[in-house]
Amino acid sequence: MNAFKGTGVALVTPFHDDQSIDFASLKKLIDHVISGGVDYLVVLGTTGEATTLTSSEKKQVLKACLEYNAGRVPVMLGIGGNNTHAVVNEIKNTDFYGVAAILSVSPYYNKPSQEGIIAHYSAIAEASPVPVVLYNIPGRTMSNMTAATTLKLSHHPNIVAMKEASGNLEQCMQIASVMPKDFLLLSGDDILTKALMGIGGSGVISVMANAFPEKFRILTHGKEEDSLAVTFSLLEMNSLMYVEGNPVGVKNLLFHMGIIESDQVRLPMLRASLDLNNKIKAAFQN
């Protein structure tokens, strides 16, 4: 699982102003993050607005990413949901050629019990032909995966890592203190990556690495003082990324950087307001 140490970038899905997929910008973005030193790509996650893409569009985006990446770095695919049967069926109907692992979010909206979460992930792990990475993000799912749940799942032979975005460092410490040696604890909060790595984490699946892959390369692989300096340098921009929801902020930043053609998102998200746009532009220029 060394392939998933360091920085994984949760790729945005660029759109034209008419909301169709901008494949030219997607290719430009892939070149940008790989040349900047990311360790792997995460395709069709929350940041990629997968919930607003059709089944056909998801296949097109995955195909484009795999073809343009051309084996340069590993690719992790987002497949998750709150209907276990539907997720298992999606896995069974997915071509995993070129896909190294899947990232699967904890069931949202339903608010299952911890035993329900364990049963959900066990079914996914049994169905998946590639390793599974858990994803805990209570702010979106309204249901926290406890440390005990994570640790129980960590012993499944096809579950290899946890993307932890609870923001609860004590919970992360409880996981890190007794997790199997070959299990990876990955940060789901860009700004907490340094802290998480300090307690035994192995890296991050990052939003801002879309824009700043070089910074995250230093953060996850650099010397202690350089890694800490980079973390502090990201504080202002990080606070702006989620004001109006993800990926509104990072798409606006990428637009100002000239990496994508438009900061368009799909409903129910709206592109950055004028106020947020101005703040992100000023923070980037500074």
Side-chain angles (χ1 to χ4, degrees), residues 2-107:
N2 286 337
F4 303 118
K5 293 181 178 180
T7 298
V9 55
L11 286 174
V12 305
T13 303
F15 299 130
H16 295 292
D17 285 335
D18 65 2
Q19 299 196 6
S20 62
I21 298 171
D22 180 358
F23 288 101
S25 288
L26 180 59
K27 291 178 179 180
K28 188 174 182 180
L29 175 63
I30 290 171
D31 275 341
H32 170 70
V33 297
I34 292 177
S35 65
V38 302
D39 296 285
Y40 57 99
L41 308 179
V42 180
V43 180
L44 297 176
T46 305
T47 305
E49 297 178 80
T51 55
T52 65
L53 299 178
T54 66
S55 178
S56 174
E57 286 175 329
K58 288 181 184 180
K59 290 178 181 179
Q60 292 174 50
V61 169
L62 176 59
K63 183 173 183 287
C65 288
L66 289 172
E67 288 181 352
Y68 198 65
N69 173 54
R72 287 180 284 175
V73 295
V75 173
M76 186 182 294
L77 174 64
I79 298 182
N82 62 347
N83 179 337
T84 309
H85 181 71
V87 176
V88 168
N89 275 344
E90 184 176 357
I91 289 170
K92 290 178 178 178
N93 289 292
T94 296
D95 180 0
F96 282 93
Y97 180 80
V99 175
I102 65 170
L103 175 68
S104 195
V105 69
S106 182

Side-chain angles (χ1 to χ4, degrees), residues 46 79-81 103-108 120-121 133-137 141:
T46 305
I79 298 182
L103 175 68
S104 195
V105 69
S106 182
Y108 44 83
H120 171 84
Y121 275 118
V133 177
L134 312 173
Y135 182 13
N136 184 37
I137 182 163
T141 65

Side-chain angles (χ1 to χ4, degrees), residues 104-160:
S104 195
V105 69
S106 182
Y108 44 83
Y109 187 77
N110 299 0
K111 298 181 74 172
S113 67
Q114 295 302 304
E115 287 302 317
I117 292 172
I118 290 169
H120 171 84
Y121 275 118
S122 297
I124 288 172
E126 293 300 324
S128 177
V130 296
V132 175
V133 177
L134 312 173
Y135 182 13
N136 184 37
I137 182 163
R140 284 184 178 271
T141 65
M142 303 307 295
S143 172
N144 180 51
M145 288 178 64
T146 65
T149 293
T150 300
L151 290 168
K152 186 166 185 178
L153 287 167
S154 71
H155 292 284
H156 191 289
N158 204 32
I159 294 176
V160 298

